[in-house]
Amino acid sequence: QLQLVESGGGLVQPGGSLRLSCAVSGQTLEHYAMGWFHQAPGKEREGVSSISRTGETTNYADSVKGRFTISRDNAKNTEYLQMNSLKPEDTGIYFCAATFTGIQEYTSLARISYGSWGQGTQVTVSS
């Protein structure tokens, strides 16, 4: 049983930064690719970023490239999303997700790829 808990969301002005964390418990993280998803108000949940088991491979949605950075610390069982240059359209709920995989460098931005989800943390970008 895998448990994921997001934290770090809040209210930030356009151009500001936030760092989201996803603490994982229940199993070792080393066999799981991880991802971050964003659900804007009235929109479907969509992939923002993903990171492979080793952390050597990352994947980003075009909308966040150059602004967001995903990382992981397997020793701490934690995934991070550093969000810089935030825009109002980044507003919404951010979910972390995990998928067990035997492919070392696997990443995915697709919802159906993930079987474990956190509860989400709210990010609001507004002046």
Side-chain angles (χ1 to χ4, degrees), residues 6 34 43 59 63 69 72 92 99 119:
E6 302 95 333
M34 304 290 295
K43 301 290 186 178
N59 194 6
S63 60
T69 303
R72 65 190 294 163
T99 182
Q119 82 288 351

Side-chain angles (χ1 to χ4, degrees), residues 9-125:
L11 175 64
V12 64
Q13 294 183 340
S17 298
L18 286 173
R19 190 192 192 201
L20 306 184
S21 298
C22 176
V24 181
S25 61
Q27 298 180 40
T28 178
L29 196 58
E30 64 180 346
H31 296 297
Y32 290 85
M34 304 290 295
W36 285 99
F37 288 76
H38 169 234
Q39 188 163 16
K43 301 290 186 178
E44 295 183 351
R45 192 178 303 182
E46 60 183 20
V48 172
S49 186
S50 181
I51 189 166
S52 66
R53 289 165 50 184
T54 66
E56 294 185 0
T57 304
T58 57
N59 194 6
Y60 296 92
D62 288 343
S63 60
V64 306
K65 287 181 179 177
R67 300 190 298 122
F68 292 7
T69 303
I70 190 170
S71 62
R72 65 190 294 163
D73 187 337
N74 286 355
K76 295 182 178 180
N77 279 7
T78 304
E79 178 196 28
Y80 305 96
L81 185 67
Q82 179 67 46
M83 304 188 294
N84 299 327
S85 302
L86 283 162
K87 304 175 181 180
E89 51 262 46
D90 296 321
T91 292
I93 304 173
Y94 284 79
F95 301 87
C96 66
T99 182
F100 184 91
T101 180
I103 304 172
Q104 189 171 4
E105 300 305 326
Y106 175 85
T107 60
S108 177
L109 298 181
R111 296 189 304 272
I112 60 174
S113 297
Y114 294 88
S116 299
W117 295 85
Q119 82 288 351
T121 185
Q122 176 70 43
V123 171
T124 303
V125 184

